Amino acid sequence: MRYSARGYWGTAAAAIGLILLGEAFILFAMPPGVSWPKAGLFAILGVGCLSLALASYRYADEVMLQTHKTAWFWGSFGAVIAVVPVIIFVGWRLVPARIHLPPILSYPEFFFVMGMVCMIVLECIGFLLVLAFQRWLR
């Protein structure tokens, strides 16, 4: 394996750009509401972008792979730890969960989806922080 910064980061950036453009098209150009064509396009777009992002690892060397593995482990673990106080405060009703939401967004499915999205976003932020810290140590 030979590391190529442009190949590695470029392919990953292309996957992120493609998913953002595809989701914007699905959400804003297609008719509103839930439909099977939208769900199918989301699934195809997700699998395609994940495949493109995983293909970027062919441009990574062993050091990069180990660095990313460590950053994902500690970044994700840090996100899980950071969510525990939020769960406790909301569970004990010390912080109301519906404080800033309009009534139309107060159904259980919305909270489930937002919880999943927030967890993934927190894990990505944790990964980026640990990766930046590892690069700073070098």
Side-chain angles (χ1 to χ4, degrees), residues 51-82:
S51 301
L52 184 61
L54 289 176
S56 70
Y57 279 104
R58 68 179 166 202
Y59 299 108
D61 60 357
E62 191 63 32
V63 173
M64 178 64 81
L65 293 175
Q66 290 301 322
T67 303
H68 278 224
K69 192 185 308 181
T70 303
W72 272 118
F73 175 78
W74 288 109
S76 297
F77 187 67
V80 170
I81 295 299

Side-chain angles (χ1 to χ4, degrees), residues 89-114:
F89 290 146
V90 171
W92 286 350
R93 300 186 198 282
L94 297 173
V95 176
R98 301 176 186 193
I99 192 165
H100 299 294
L101 298 173
I104 194 150
L105 297 178
S106 296
Y107 52 93
E109 296 87 1
F110 174 77
F111 287 124
F112 175 76
V113 170
M114 289 311 296

Side-chain angles (χ1 to χ4, degrees), residues 23-39 42:
E23 287 180 358
F25 170 77
I26 292 169
L27 292 175
F28 299 117
M30 294 184 74
V34 179
S35 67
W36 284 108
K38 273 185 167 180
F42 270 125

Side-chain angles (χ1 to χ4, degrees), residues 39-50:
L41 283 175
F42 270 125
I44 291 168
L45 185 66
V47 169
C49 289
L50 180 64

